[in-house]
Amino acid sequence: MHFGFCLLILIPLTSALVPVQNKEDAVIHLFEHQYEELKALVEDLESKLESTEETNIEYADRLTSAEKIIRELSDSNEDHRRAFTESQVAFYAKLSGSLHGLSPHQTIKFDELVTNTSASLYDTATGIFTAPVSGMYVISWTANVNYKQAQATELMVNDVAKASSYADTARGGDGDYGSASQTVVLQVNKGEEVLVRTGTNGNGDVHGADYSTFSAFLLFPHS
């Protein structure tokens, strides 16, 4: 009787536990399914992150290459700019007032600077043009004298006479002025000094008032 009674009690309890067990299995299955989904999502995100990092590395490499090219172009432009600036060599000076009593081989100082592409080209205090670059230069000068006078002048490059001129109004009438001009094309090296001086012949006078001039420009540079 007691055994039968126990069976009557256990059977309903067992029947009640079966649904509970099934529910637990369902929950576990749901968790496992969500875990797999999350795992797949994480793996996908990791893959995308790795791909993004590779892309960033690629972009960084491209950026580095672009920066290198920009620096090279900048350096090249600077070189061209410097070369272009150095090739811009020209000056023009004139004698504002007349000079008297000049000795032979005395430098004529053209004191009024009209054109000068660089402050270091022509020095009005010394009358000397210093070549900033080596190259072929076109050099001109004019010496003017009063009436009944004469004066020889010479173009000097590093103390070597390269050309000369002679203005002479000794045979002219009163009020006659005369000029002598020369234009030469010379190779002048960087740092060499160019000037105009009086020659051995003449009265030692050079007329100013803008009639006597000295100029030069770089035709083309070369080493």
Side-chain angles (χ1 to χ4, degrees):
M1 179 177 179
H2 293 288
F3 178 72
F5 178 76
C6 291
L7 288 175
L8 289 174
I9 293 174
L10 290 173
I11 290 172
L13 289 174
T14 304
S15 300
L17 289 172
V18 170
V20 173
Q21 183 67 39
N22 290 338
K23 288 181 180 179
E24 290 178 352
D25 291 343
V27 171
I28 291 172
H29 179 71
L30 177 62
F31 284 162
E32 290 177 345
H33 179 69
Q34 290 179 343
Y35 169 76
E36 293 297 330
E37 288 183 342
L38 288 173
K39 182 180 178 182
L41 178 60
V42 170
E43 290 176 349
D44 182 59
L45 289 174
E46 288 177 344
S47 176
K48 289 181 178 179
L49 179 60
E50 183 178 353
S51 176
T52 301
E53 290 176 347
E54 292 176 353
T55 302
N56 288 339
I57 292 173
E58 181 182 355
Y59 286 157
D61 291 341
R62 290 182 180 179
L63 180 60
T64 301
S65 298
E67 290 174 343
K68 181 180 179 181
I69 292 173
I70 290 173
R71 284 195 301 270
E72 291 175 350
L73 289 174
S74 178
D75 292 342
S76 177
N77 288 337
E78 179 64 19
D79 291 341
H80 286 303
R81 185 198 65 77
R82 188 180 299 109
F84 180 71
T85 302
E86 289 179 348
S87 67
Q88 293 178 311
V89 180
F91 84 91
Y92 163 51
K94 58 186 179 179
L95 192 62
S96 60
S98 297
L99 301 176
H100 304 285
L102 297 175
S103 303
H105 297 168
Q106 183 173 342
T107 302
I108 300 173
K109 301 174 183 178
F110 299 86
D111 61 316
E112 187 173 338
L113 197 56
V114 180
T115 301
N116 201 30
T117 57
S118 173
S120 60
L121 290 182
Y122 179 78
D123 186 354
T124 56
T126 62
I128 295 174
F129 159 61
T130 304
V133 295
S134 298
M136 199 65 67
Y137 286 82
V138 177
I139 306 171
S140 301
W141 83 99
T142 297
N144 183 268
V145 296
N146 291 326
Y147 58 91
K148 302 294 183 179
Q149 291 185 345
Q151 184 59 54
T153 55
E154 299 173 334
L155 178 70
M156 308 296 295
V157 178
N158 267 22
D159 296 326
V160 178
K162 296 294 184 178
S164 60
S165 67
Y166 188 72
D168 185 3
T169 60
R171 298 180 182 83
D174 291 343
D176 289 340
Y177 287 78
S179 294
S181 299
Q182 275 274 39
T183 297
V184 296
V185 180
L186 294 174
Q187 163 68 29
V188 182
N189 297 320
K190 181 178 180 179
E192 290 187 331
E193 296 181 342
V194 183
L195 58 87
V196 176
R197 74 180 187 182
T198 56
T200 55
N201 298 320
N203 303 99
D205 293 342
V206 177
H207 182 58
D210 304 338
Y211 288 102
S212 297
T213 62
F214 181 30
S215 63
F217 67 88
L218 179 63
L219 189 61
F220 57 84
H222 60 74
S223 56

